[in-house]
């Protein structure tokens, strides 16, 4: 009866204990053709989605293809899945290598890098990072972190080039501007740019200090070389910002040099005035004593040597700075100081 039939159905003793061992998925010839067409369509959709950067669609379709193969355990489906994975890995890794190649060429090129170049590199990083779940299928695909590491390597390369080209202001400008572009697009790399600017500022500060020492030692050729070297980095002022004021330091060195030369002149004038005073006092004594045999020497030997040395020193400075420079012109004030000194002592 129907009741007995129902009772037999609900009797757990009659249940199949391991359905998977009894029921197995299978494909008829007709369904195999349909599955094959569907697999081919999935494969085509996956490749097309990947090529158009629709990584979520590519992953969904790839998940479905993988799941279908797990159910049907079909060699043909597995082969198509593996072929699809292989092609995706090739394209994925190719995309990374292409991005690295284009970016690295821009970094080592002798000209500036455009913001668009850096943005394109960042776009590839962002896209592949968002697509990282795909790598659960693409086991041999390179991580997008490799692009970040490459960026780190390239910034270190730029810093190294900056340190090598400290005396080449054109190369310096190009390298610093490249680091600035990287910093603007990748804020995490701002420290690299700051480090490079600080290195340059430190070198320039050392140059200024060296020029100051040369002023004190009357090494005017070295002073001029130092000034000219500092003048060359004027185009880098926008990079140095508050770290080093090029024009201010040039003006400061000019002031120090003129102060030093004025000190030289003043020492000579003191000697001549003292001699004149001594002569005047001596004449008074001669008049009072009526002693015409007393002869006063205006200058001592050491006084004469000092004046001669100062004249040579001022003349040397005048000759060194005779040819003007666009951003400092010491020729006129030094020449005027020299002739003024001569007029004072002659």
């Amino acid at each position: 009866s129907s009741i007995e039939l129902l009772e037999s159905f609900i009797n757990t003793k009659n249940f199949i204990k391991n359905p998977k061992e009894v029921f197995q998925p299978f494909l008829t010839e007709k369904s195999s053709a349909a599955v094959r067409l569907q697999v081919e369509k999935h494969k085509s959709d996956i490749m097309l989605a990947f090529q158009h950067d629709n990584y979520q669609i590519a992953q969904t379709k790839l998940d479905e293809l993988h799941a279908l193969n797990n159910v049907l355990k079909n060699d043909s489906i597995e082969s198509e899945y593996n072929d699809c994975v292989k092609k995706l890995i090739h394209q994925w890794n190719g995309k990374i290598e292409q991005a690295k190649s284009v970016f690295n060429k821009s970094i080592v090129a002798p000209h500036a890098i455009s913001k668009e170049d850096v943005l394109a590199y960042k776009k590839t990083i962002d896209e592949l990072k968002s697509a990282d779940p795909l790598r659960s299928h693409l086991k041999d695909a390179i991580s997008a972190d490799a692009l970040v590491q490459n960026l780190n390597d390239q910034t270190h390369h730029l810093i190294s080039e900056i340190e090598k080209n400290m005396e080449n202001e054109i190369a310096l400008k190009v390298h610093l501007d490249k680091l600035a572009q990287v910093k603007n697009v990748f804020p995490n790399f701002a420290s690299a740019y700051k480090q490079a600017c600080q290195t340059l500022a430190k070198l320039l500060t050392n140059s200024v200090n060296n020029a100051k020492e040369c002023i004190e030692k009357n090494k005017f050729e070295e002073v001029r070389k130092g000034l000219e070297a500092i003048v060359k980095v004027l185009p880098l002022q926008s990079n140095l910002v508050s770290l080093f004021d090029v024009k201010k330091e040039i003006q400061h060195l000019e002031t120090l040099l003129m102060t030093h030369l004025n000190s030289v002149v003043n020492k000579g004038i003191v000697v001549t005035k003292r001699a004149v005073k001594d002569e005047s006092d001596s004449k008074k004594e001669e008049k009072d004593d009526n002693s015409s045999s007393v002869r006063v020497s205006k200058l001592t030997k050491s006084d004469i040597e000092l004046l001669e040395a100062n004249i040579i020193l001022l003349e040397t400075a005048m000759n060194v700075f005779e040819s003007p420079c666009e951003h400092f012109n010491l020729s006129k004030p030094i020449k005027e100081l020299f002739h003024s000194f001569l007029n004072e002592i002659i």
Side-chain angles (χ1 to χ4, degrees), residues 154-194:
Q154 292 306 310
T155 54
H156 279 89
H157 167 75
L158 283 175
I159 292 173
S160 176
E161 287 300 305
I162 286 170
E163 292 173 350
K164 291 178 185 176
N165 291 278
M166 282 298 181
E167 296 181 2
N168 185 341
E169 70 281 1
I170 297 175
L172 269 178
K173 179 65 176 171
V174 171
H175 294 323
L176 282 172
D177 285 348
K178 285 178 180 179
L179 276 178
Q181 290 285 19
V182 170
K183 175 206 68 168
N184 292 337
V185 176
F186 296 93
N188 290 342
F189 286 84
S191 59
Y193 175 70
K194 184 178 180 181

Side-chain angles (χ1 to χ4, degrees), residues 37-264:
L37 287 173
Q38 187 59 50
V39 168
E40 289 176 359
K41 186 177 185 307
H42 259 58
K43 186 178 177 182
S44 175
D45 290 345
I46 290 167
M47 300 306 298
L48 191 63
F50 187 88
Q51 289 165 7
H52 288 82
D53 304 329
N54 295 321
Y55 301 113
Q56 185 57 55
I57 294 175
Q59 183 180 347
T60 300
K61 295 289 184 181
L62 204 56
D63 287 343
E64 291 173 354
L65 195 58
H66 186 260
L68 181 64
N69 182 55
N70 284 341
V71 171
L72 296 179
K73 307 292 184 185
N74 183 277
D75 291 342
S76 176
I77 297 174
E78 184 176 1
S79 176
E80 291 296 333
Y81 168 80
N82 290 337
D83 183 62
C84 187
V85 165
K86 183 179 179 181
K87 288 179 178 178
L88 288 177
I89 290 173
H90 179 74
Q91 290 192 24
W92 177 290
N93 291 346
K95 186 173 291 224
I96 285 183
E97 294 303 327
Q98 175 68 10
K100 285 171 62 176
S101 176
V102 172
F103 181 75
N104 292 357
K105 284 180 181 177
S106 298
I107 288 292
V108 300
H111 51 74
I113 189 173
S114 70
K115 185 177 181 180
E116 288 69 28
D117 289 337
V118 185
L119 285 172
Y121 191 74
K122 184 177 186 298
K123 182 183 177 184
T124 302
I125 292 176
D126 292 343
E127 285 179 353
L128 294 183
K129 279 196 169 185
S130 69
D132 196 66
L134 256 178
R135 292 177 62 236
S136 61
H137 294 284
L138 316 180
K139 304 299 183 184
D140 294 328
I142 302 170
S143 170
D145 290 338
L147 290 175
V148 179
Q149 180 58 48
N150 178 67
L151 180 59
N152 186 58
D153 294 341
Q154 292 306 310
T155 54
H156 279 89
H157 167 75
L158 283 175
I159 292 173
S160 176
E161 287 300 305
I162 286 170
E163 292 173 350
K164 291 178 185 176
N165 291 278
M166 282 298 181
E167 296 181 2
N168 185 341
E169 70 281 1
I170 297 175
L172 269 178
K173 179 65 176 171
V174 171
H175 294 323
L176 282 172
D177 285 348
K178 285 178 180 179
L179 276 178
Q181 290 285 19
V182 170
K183 175 206 68 168
N184 292 337
V185 176
F186 296 93
N188 290 342
F189 286 84
S191 59
Y193 175 70
K194 184 178 180 181
Q195 178 188 341
C197 292
Q198 287 175 336
T199 299
L200 176 59
K202 184 178 180 181
L203 180 77
L204 291 171
T205 301
N206 290 340
S207 296
V208 169
N209 292 335
N210 182 61
K212 289 177 182 177
E213 291 179 7
C214 289
I215 289 173
E216 293 299 320
K217 295 176 181 178
N218 301 320
K219 296 180 178 180
F220 303 122
E221 287 280 1
E222 295 301 315
V223 174
R224 174 159 189 137
K225 287 179 182 177
L227 277 167
E228 289 175 342
I230 295 169
V231 165
K232 285 182 178 180
V233 300
L234 267 171
L236 302 177
Q237 185 61 70
S238 60
N239 302 100
L240 292 166
V241 195
S242 61
L243 294 172
F244 188 91
D245 190 323
V246 180
K247 287 185 178 180
K248 182 179 177 181
E249 293 298 337
I250 291 172
Q251 291 169 359
H252 183 51
L253 286 174
E254 286 179 306
T255 301
L256 284 177
L257 178 60
M258 291 309 301
T259 300
H260 176 70
L261 294 178
N262 272 293
S263 174
V264 170

Side-chain angles (χ1 to χ4, degrees), residues 170 181 214 282 310 313 343 345:
I170 297 175
Q181 290 285 19
C214 289
S282 177
N310 287 358
L313 190 151
N343 292 334
I345 64 175

